[in-house]
Amino acid sequence: MLVCPLISDFQVRLFRKNSVNVTLSVKPKCHGAPFAMQKISYPLSAIVAQDAMKTALLLNAVDPGIGGVLIRGQKGTAKSTAARSLAALLPAIDVAEGCPYHCDPTDPERMHDACCEKFKATGVLPAASRKMPVIELPLSATEDRVVGSIQLEHALKTGQRHFEPGLLAAANRRILYVEAVNLLEDHLVDLLLDAAASGINRVEREGMCVTHPARFILIGTMNPEEGELRPQFLDRFGLVVNVEGLTDPQQRRALIENRLAFEADPRGFAAACQEEEDFLSAQVVQAQSRLAQIEIPAAAYQLVVELVIELQVHGHRADIALLKAARALAALSGKAAVSPAEIGEAACFVLPHRLPGNALLGPSDAQRTLDEALAKVFAEKAKQVASEPGNNLDELDFMLVDYEFPGSAAAGSMLFQTLKKKLRSASSTLTSNSASPP
């Protein structure tokens, strides 16, 4: 039995027929071999429940500047499946033909030196369209394989030094996925997070210095049972979401039915919800295009600052990531400005892993601490705005919009409730139009 997509109480399944996910890990040496196997990924939205995980992935796709997402959870909770399936929902990108860094042929500000020089000389670069792949970083990867290295064989044969791009080059403008990131060498985690934050990879080898763009959607997964990630690394992930196995019998049954149906007929399973897949893809593309136009009211800045101070979070990464996540959530929800609802929802992904003493707090305790802080700060701010006659009407309106929502529902539920309503509305309009006589 195929559970009804999107409108189901237990899941949101949005996926596309014939979606292809290319996984790249190591460069093949054999002649004529394909660079990677192509297969149909299990659709992101066929994952039953787990709205928080899906929301965090979509927010990071809309604005990679948030700083990546870390999915923490028990084994067998679809962490890797969700990470690999995101690519099928993202549009193809135009790349400069022949460029090892997949530079945007129309954006000289983000090109590497060689592409930039060609663009300045000719004013145009040959372009090619490429599907969005997932670049996987294996645990066995060395530093040279990650950042790039000097090709010694070429140097010995020609006497010239040649830079061999690494995985960070392959991941530029793509998705970089690290499974079991907590088991990766610390210095490699540091390199990844540095590149994710700066958007640049700088390599110095044998007197040679190479700098190239490295802007990617960073996704990491881990099982806490195998060991925790160091606090300084945990803080550098913009979003962190905890996932657990399902305990509702009907949800578990839906999960089994979906998985067996997919294994029996992957293409047919993906085709069953083509409409929903196209709908979600359109939402992501639209959110990306209007992200820069989303207004962040002055009251939103103040609210974020007061919330972070109330929770005694160290540093300032949390403030920045919280506002970026709230802005991306507003863009996905089709809103023109950030409201307290988006701040409260985004806080569930940005703040719990940054709380003081987080190592001693379980996910439920951290969430309870956050909910209490949200209720206190939001209530005090609303009372202050309403009681001070000097405040302008815009600030008052900001605090009254959706004020009751933050902390009142599970993380991730707000976005998918909005998407369900949008899809129902679009489906009703389509049905009415098709039923109308010509």
Side-chain angles (χ1 to χ4, degrees), residues 300-432:
Y301 288 94
Q302 187 63 29
L303 191 61
V304 165
V305 168
E306 292 179 3
L307 177 60
V308 173
I309 291 176
E310 173 67 24
L311 289 168
Q312 301 179 4
V313 175
H314 298 160
H316 303 287
R317 288 194 182 102
D319 311 58
I320 297 170
L322 182 50
L323 276 171
K324 286 184 176 181
R327 182 179 61 179
L329 188 58
L332 270 172
S333 301
K335 295 185 177 181
V338 172
S339 75
E342 285 74 50
I343 293 175
E345 177 87 344
C348 297
F349 303 108
V350 175
L351 296 179
H353 65 288
R354 292 185 166 97
L355 296 179
N358 174 66
L360 303 177
L361 293 175
S364 58
D365 292 332
Q367 187 61 48
R368 189 181 307 111
T369 301
L370 174 61
D371 289 343
E372 292 173 356
L374 282 169
K376 178 181 178 181
V377 171
F378 279 46
E380 290 179 352
K381 186 63 177 177
K383 184 178 180 180
Q384 175 189 353
V385 171
S387 62
E388 294 180 2
N391 286 314
N392 58 47
L393 292 178
D394 290 340
E395 190 171 7
L396 180 59
D397 289 341
F398 171 80
M399 287 308 303
L400 293 179
V401 172
D402 295 331
Y403 166 68
E404 72 282 358
F405 186 85
S408 65
S413 61
M414 184 177 81
L415 175 62
F416 282 97
Q417 286 173 4
T418 301
L419 293 178
K420 288 179 185 180
K421 292 178 181 177
K422 283 187 176 183
L423 182 60
R424 288 193 188 103
S425 176
S427 298
S428 299
T429 301
L430 183 61
T431 302
S432 300

Side-chain angles (χ1 to χ4, degrees), residues 31-70:
H31 296 286
F35 190 57
M37 291 183 63
Q38 295 186 350
K39 63 179 181 178
I40 298 177
S41 299
Y42 188 83
L44 175 69
S45 303
I47 299 171
V48 178
Q50 308 294 12
D51 286 351
M53 175 172 63
K54 292 181 282 190
T55 296
L57 288 171
L58 293 178
L59 293 179
N60 204 39
V62 171
D63 184 6
I66 290 173
V69 57
L70 174 65

Side-chain angles (χ1 to χ4, degrees), residues 133-187:
V134 175
I135 311 301
E136 294 197 26
L137 193 154
L139 288 177
S140 59
T142 63
E143 180 176 339
D144 283 349
R145 183 70 190 100
V146 174
V147 302
S149 62
I150 302 299
Q151 197 175 52
L152 294 179
E153 183 179 353
H154 184 274
L156 292 173
K157 287 182 177 180
T158 65
Q160 297 178 341
R161 289 174 295 183
H162 174 73
F163 178 71
E164 180 71 19
L167 289 173
L168 290 182
N172 186 41
R173 303 181 65 217
R174 297 173 166 189
I175 297 172
L176 179 60
Y177 171 52
V178 187
E179 186 174 9
V181 64
N182 54 322
L183 302 182
L184 198 64
E185 294 289 341
D186 284 352
H187 72 284

